[in-house]
Amino acid sequence: MQKQPNKPTIQGEIEKALQKLNISSSITHAGRTDRGVHALNQVIAFNAPDFWDIDKLRNELNKILYPAIFIKKLSKTNENFNPRFDAKKRSYRYVITNKITPFSANYVTFYENKIDIKILQKALKLFEGKHNFEYFAKTGSSVNGYIREIYKTDIFEYKNFVIIKIVGNGFLRGQIRLIIDFILKINENKLTLNDLKSQLNKEKLISKHLAPPNGLYLERIWY
């Protein structure tokens, strides 16, 4: 999401689209997503002249941004609105399949092992509540603290997919992908629920690897 020098990013492409419409504004966003991660409902904010009709502006931006980016809705907000700091909670989903095709390869994670839904439900439940997630954050993350609260977790099957959903008040860099990798190692009997408890309680750093980005989606943000 975040703009990077000499690299195409969501932020960069939207700002270029605004410039084509003679709107000089940087954008603020609800959160950055790693390369390869998707957003179903990312929230951004920018300044635009009052004469623009909201629906016309959305249509014009979508013409320019097609096909990689689509703006679902534009709304007027107060000038103090901040998509990141005003957010109350967020949800992510992670999509896994054992039947991959070239058409879906960039949007789901291929995982050939059979998934034990019950054991992963138990693993996910351990994350619920307020915890220090330092051992489930990317190394080098610059934050004021590592305390986050996860309100709800879920895992279910839908057709050929297994979908994992996590809802919390906020997430650290890489946190979801580190969680997914850990619980999939539990699924493979490489790690145990006790290993998870030890790492979650910061008793011992056992495993810190990122699951692939292509199965991860920022699903929803509440304000």
Side-chain angles (χ1 to χ4, degrees):
M1 175 72 200
Q2 194 171 36
K3 195 159 57 174
Q4 298 181 38
N6 303 317
K7 292 182 180 180
T9 64
I10 303 297
Q11 179 179 354
E13 293 305 305
I14 294 175
E15 289 181 357
K16 284 195 289 185
L18 288 170
Q19 289 169 6
K20 288 182 179 179
L21 299 175
N22 295 317
I23 299 174
S24 298
S25 175
S26 59
I27 69 171
T28 55
H29 47 78
R32 54 193 284 176
T33 50
D34 291 342
R35 181 179 180 181
V37 174
H38 315 287
L40 299 175
N41 289 290
Q42 176 68 272
V43 178
I44 67 169
F46 61 87
N47 297 315
D50 290 336
F51 62 76
W52 270 103
D53 175 80
I54 291 293
D55 291 332
K56 180 175 177 59
L57 178 56
R58 183 180 69 86
N59 291 336
E60 292 301 317
L61 285 171
N62 279 334
K63 288 177 187 177
I64 299 169
L65 294 169
Y66 179 85
I69 304 168
F70 180 76
I71 296 176
K72 294 181 177 180
K73 182 180 179 181
L74 280 182
S75 301
K76 290 185 177 181
T77 67
N78 67 66
E79 61 182 17
N80 296 319
F81 173 69
N82 187 295
R84 178 183 176 189
F85 297 113
D86 290 345
K88 303 301 183 185
K89 62 179 181 178
R90 308 157 190 262
S91 66
Y92 282 85
R93 72 170 66 166
Y94 197 90
V95 184
I96 300 169
T97 185
N98 61 4
K99 295 183 179 180
I100 204 161
T101 73
F103 304 104
S104 64
N106 290 330
Y107 305 101
V108 296
T109 290
F110 175 68
Y111 183 75
E112 59 186 345
N113 297 301
K114 180 175 175 57
I115 290 182
D116 186 334
I117 296 290
K118 289 184 177 180
I119 192 67
L120 292 196
Q121 280 177 332
K122 291 180 180 179
L124 286 166
K125 284 293 179 185
L126 294 175
F127 289 103
E128 292 183 3
K130 195 174 289 186
H131 302 279
N132 184 321
F133 283 100
E134 183 175 359
Y135 287 177
F136 286 93
K138 269 187 177 180
T139 302
S141 297
S142 178
V143 293
N144 292 327
Y146 294 95
I147 304 296
R148 298 291 186 276
E149 183 173 3
I150 291 182
Y151 301 127
K152 183 181 179 181
T153 61
D154 195 13
I155 179 171
F156 57 92
E157 294 179 279
Y158 175 75
K159 296 183 178 180
N160 295 323
F161 305 100
V162 171
I163 299 171
I164 297 168
K165 184 172 179 177
I166 302 177
V167 183
N169 64 350
F171 295 92
L172 299 161
R173 285 189 62 207
Q175 183 178 341
I176 301 292
R177 291 169 62 193
L178 288 163
I179 287 173
I180 298 299
D181 182 81
F182 203 107
I183 66 173
L184 289 180
K185 284 185 169 68
I186 291 175
N187 184 73
E188 298 161 20
N189 294 316
K190 294 178 180 177
L191 297 173
T192 67
L193 292 175
N194 284 332
D195 290 331
L196 174 52
K197 291 175 185 176
S198 294
Q199 181 155 321
L200 191 55
N201 293 331
K202 292 191 64 185
E203 296 168 0
K204 185 178 181 182
L205 179 58
I206 297 168
S207 177
K208 200 171 184 180
H209 299 281
L210 293 165
N214 43 306
L216 181 58
Y217 293 77
L218 171 59
E219 181 181 54
R220 184 180 174 187
I221 303 171
W222 286 263
Y223 291 93

